[in-house]
Amino acid sequence: MNRSHLVGLGTVALLALSGCGSTTQSADPASNSDVSGRTYVSHSVDINGNPTALVRSTNLQLSFTDDGISANAGCNSMSGRATIDDDTLVISGGLAMTEMGCESARMDQDQWFADLLTAKPTLSVDGDSLTLDSDGTVIVMTTQPSRVS
């Protein structure tokens, strides 16, 4: 991960995420069928074992279809063709991203999340919890509650 992204995230963070607990997971490797049709929202972010806050009033969102993902980190929407190969998220052809003009902290967070997603992170699923793990960064996400029509 680019040091400037870490500095940008740390600079704009106002509060560390609370209630992070242990990042030790008893999860199984994820497959496309485990996550397809589900949307996950960040619960905690740890970088090199340290709880890390996101830009104020943002979260990370990641949705899966049978053959792709969509994501948001606070500003732009991202999408791409993706599969889970064994326990690794593999994005084919990169991510398409909208080009909204947001404050630089949100733009930096978008780029950081896009870089993490395209770096082939490992995924594990434990019930309603999804863990992304890439080069010292661990993001724990939980399924977003379904809306009743």
Side-chain angles (χ1 to χ4, degrees):
M1 172 178 300
N2 185 317
R3 182 172 173 82
S4 65
H5 289 153
L6 290 174
V7 171
L9 284 173
T11 302
V12 299
L14 297 177
L15 298 170
L17 294 174
S18 62
C20 292
S22 172
T23 58
T24 304
Q25 298 290 313
S26 60
D28 296 320
S31 69
N32 285 45
S33 63
D34 292 332
V35 296
S36 183
R38 298 181 105 184
T39 297
Y40 294 88
V41 178
S42 57
H43 171 69
S44 66
V45 178
D46 288 332
I47 299 177
N48 297 320
N50 299 309
T52 303
L54 298 173
V55 174
R56 186 175 181 184
S57 300
T58 67
N59 57 38
L60 307 175
Q61 295 181 5
L62 184 58
S63 299
F64 293 87
T65 63
D66 288 337
D67 63 353
I69 62 166
S70 60
N72 187 290
C75 181
N76 289 290
S77 296
M78 304 170 237
S79 62
R81 295 187 58 78
T83 57
I84 300 172
D85 183 12
D86 195 12
D87 64 346
T88 302
L89 178 65
V90 179
I91 297 176
S92 305
L95 288 172
M97 188 182 302
T98 59
E99 295 183 11
M100 301 292 294
C102 297
E103 64 185 80
S104 63
R106 288 177 187 246
M107 298 288 286
D108 290 345
Q109 187 167 281
D110 280 353
Q111 190 60 56
W112 167 80
F113 193 42
D115 290 345
L116 182 134
L117 292 173
T118 58
K120 297 184 178 179
T122 58
L123 276 75
S124 55
V125 175
D126 185 12
D128 288 337
S129 180
L130 172 84
T131 302
L132 293 164
D133 190 339
S134 179
D135 197 30
T137 298
V138 177
I139 301 170
V140 177
M141 307 178 96
T142 55
T143 55
Q144 184 172 355
S146 300
R147 292 187 179 163
V148 177
S149 301

